[in-house]
Amino acid sequence: MKKVKFSTLQKWHGFQPNPEWPLPALVAESDVYNRADQQNLIKANEYLDNESVLEEKVDLTIALLKKSSNICVYTGAGLSKSSGIPDYASKATNSIVKGPELKSNLDAQPTYAHCAITALERAGYIHYYVQQNHDGLPQKSGFPQAKINEIHGAWFDPSNPVVKFSGKLRSDLFHAMTDFEQKTDLCLCLGTSLSGMTADKMAVTPAERAVAGHSGIHGTILVNIQKTILDSACTVRVWAKLDDFFSLLVKKMSIGPVVPIPPKVPPGHIYRIRYDEHGLLNTSALMILDLRLDAQVVITEPKAVNYKCVGQVFNLRDGNYCIAFKENNQTHHRIFGLWWIEAAIRETVPR
């Protein structure tokens, strides 16, 4: 962020606060930094707006959604915590966000907030989604694969293995993200500590442009229960649990249904899709994609670290395909999300 002097009120409510708003209440205290591993030395205290302030901020959010035309959702681990997947930044022993115990993070189900984001997309309000998490929960809620960028890797995309903190982002995903960064007029920044990841610019850039007074840029709405470096520069800074925030927003906007929408594909595990031998969408081509047990598949994405690696289908997990790939003389078990099949049948993804 550029050096701008902000008032105390702005540090809690964003750069255009209502002077009548009280400060949020400290509800869970911690002396531990939320992401010291990333040199983020903000303590992991948790705060909540009171009900009336939250309602006003939701009203402001709705107004911004209705006058924006290139809206991006940018999410971090805090979005999925109530699904049972642990996050990195929660350190308070009495943290106010809880989730069920899972045998495996792969078993997690989408939260109310995930489903509400999908409902917003179906209502025409969300145009792009940059997902820091690997969990596939947006797609499990029904969010279209064609609009989502899993910039840090994905558990349900064999061509996009999880990127380590010290790793390199897949170049095609990076360029796609950067392209939409330049178009974004409003960002919904949800559940991320904003600790310096390259992808953080999806929230930082529109915020900086709005503070600088760029015409038609409505900035960033940040919803988090912990402090971040971007709080002062947000157009609206909301201190709320994400499920509570979206419950109120959905009610006021009268959108829905807010339930998971599973992918729809033909039965039988053999799919006729209009893609060529390179995996590229081609309406003149016809591929028979065989995903029956023991069928072989190959990674066709040239930018993937496992490009041209061959795998064999060995199981199903919740309808998704488990595939064993040979990569660098080692076997890696990866999962192919059923929503990819739906997207291919609908011809909404280019590869």
Side-chain angles (χ1 to χ4, degrees):
M1 283 295 298
K2 296 177 181 178
K3 292 294 182 181
V4 179
K5 188 174 182 179
F6 293 101
S7 69
T8 298
L9 203 59
Q10 288 172 317
K11 291 176 181 178
W12 289 100
H13 296 306
F15 76 92
Q16 294 180 326
N18 181 334
E20 302 299 319
W21 286 341
L23 301 186
L26 174 63
V27 293
E29 191 168 1
S30 175
D31 289 326
V32 182
Y33 299 132
N34 61 14
R35 291 305 303 271
D37 59 317
Q38 295 181 352
Q39 289 73 54
N40 183 339
L41 303 184
I42 297 174
K43 289 186 176 179
N45 296 319
E46 299 178 4
Y47 303 85
L48 289 177
D49 282 320
N50 70 31
E51 290 184 9
S52 62
V53 171
L54 176 59
E55 186 160 347
E56 287 187 51
K57 289 181 177 179
V58 169
D59 288 339
L60 288 172
T61 297
I62 293 170
L64 289 168
L65 287 171
K66 289 183 175 180
K67 67 180 181 179
S68 301
S69 55
N70 285 296
I71 301 172
C72 176
V73 173
Y74 180 55
T75 62
L79 177 65
S80 298
K81 189 181 177 187
S82 64
S83 76
I85 299 176
D87 66 352
Y88 298 99
S90 296
K91 301 293 194 302
T93 56
N94 60 335
S95 176
I96 61 173
V97 179
K98 307 292 183 182
E101 291 189 13
L102 302 173
K103 290 183 178 180
S104 167
N105 288 342
L106 296 171
D107 298 330
Q109 297 302 309
T111 66
Y112 184 90
H114 285 104
C115 296
I117 294 168
T118 294
L120 281 170
E121 188 279 329
R122 289 183 170 242
Y125 291 104
I126 306 300
H127 307 99
Y128 199 61
Y129 190 146
V130 176
Q131 153 86 317
Q132 292 189 75
N133 306 328
H134 322 296
D135 50 37
L137 293 183
Q139 296 96 320
K140 287 183 180 181
S141 76
F143 197 92
Q145 181 63 49
K147 289 186 177 182
I148 194 163
N149 184 330
E150 295 170 290
I151 189 65
H152 292 160
W155 295 339
F156 294 89
D157 178 0
S159 71
N160 190 19
V162 172
V163 181
K164 295 181 179 180
F165 288 134
S166 58
K168 186 178 180 181
L169 301 177
R170 213 175 86 181
S171 60
D172 58 320
L173 298 179
F174 173 78
H175 291 307
M177 178 182 73
T178 301
D179 287 346
F180 203 86
E181 173 202 0
Q182 300 307 314
K183 295 190 290 186
T184 300
D185 55 5
L186 180 68
C187 175
L188 288 179
C189 180
L190 311 170
T192 171
S193 59
L194 295 170
S195 296
M197 296 292 192
T198 300
D200 288 352
K201 61 184 180 178
M202 297 306 298
V204 173
T205 296
E208 288 186 333
R209 288 175 175 171
V211 170
H214 288 218
S215 177
I217 302 299
H218 305 302
T220 295
I221 299 167
L222 198 161
V223 188
N224 200 328
I225 56 176
Q226 294 184 359
K227 293 181 179 179
T228 79
I229 62 167
L230 198 61
D231 296 343
S232 303
C234 295
T235 306
V236 184
R237 178 53 166 104
V238 184
W239 305 84
K241 292 191 285 187
L242 287 163
D243 289 347
D244 293 346
F245 169 79
F246 278 106
S247 178
L248 185 55
L249 183 141
V250 163
K251 182 179 179 180
K252 284 176 172 285
M253 295 186 75
S254 299
I255 60 172
V258 185
V259 294
I261 303 170
K264 296 179 180 179
V265 300
H269 310 299
I270 299 177
Y271 307 102
R272 298 164 62 89
I273 55 177
R274 296 291 182 180
Y275 290 77
D276 63 21
E277 68 272 20
H278 304 295
L280 292 170
L281 178 62
N282 183 343
T283 55
S284 299
L286 178 63
M287 175 190 291
I288 305 300
L289 180 59
D290 185 353
L291 292 175
R292 292 174 296 181
L293 290 179
D294 298 325
Q296 288 194 332
V297 296
V298 62
I299 300 294
T300 61
E301 171 52 65
K303 303 297 191 300
V305 296
N306 53 358
Y307 177 46
K308 291 187 177 180
C309 288
V310 176
Q312 187 172 32
V313 179
F314 70 90
N315 201 358
L316 285 171
R317 185 184 185 121
D318 297 327
N320 304 302
Y321 295 96
C322 302
I323 306 174
F325 284 91
K326 288 291 185 182
E327 302 173 12
N328 298 321
N329 297 317
Q330 293 183 325
T331 299
H332 292 270
H333 290 174
R334 306 199 184 279
I335 302 178
F336 190 37
L338 198 61
W339 46 84
W340 279 102
I341 306 298
E342 180 183 51
I345 292 172
R346 293 184 175 182
E347 302 175 7
T348 58
V349 287
R351 184 185 290 274

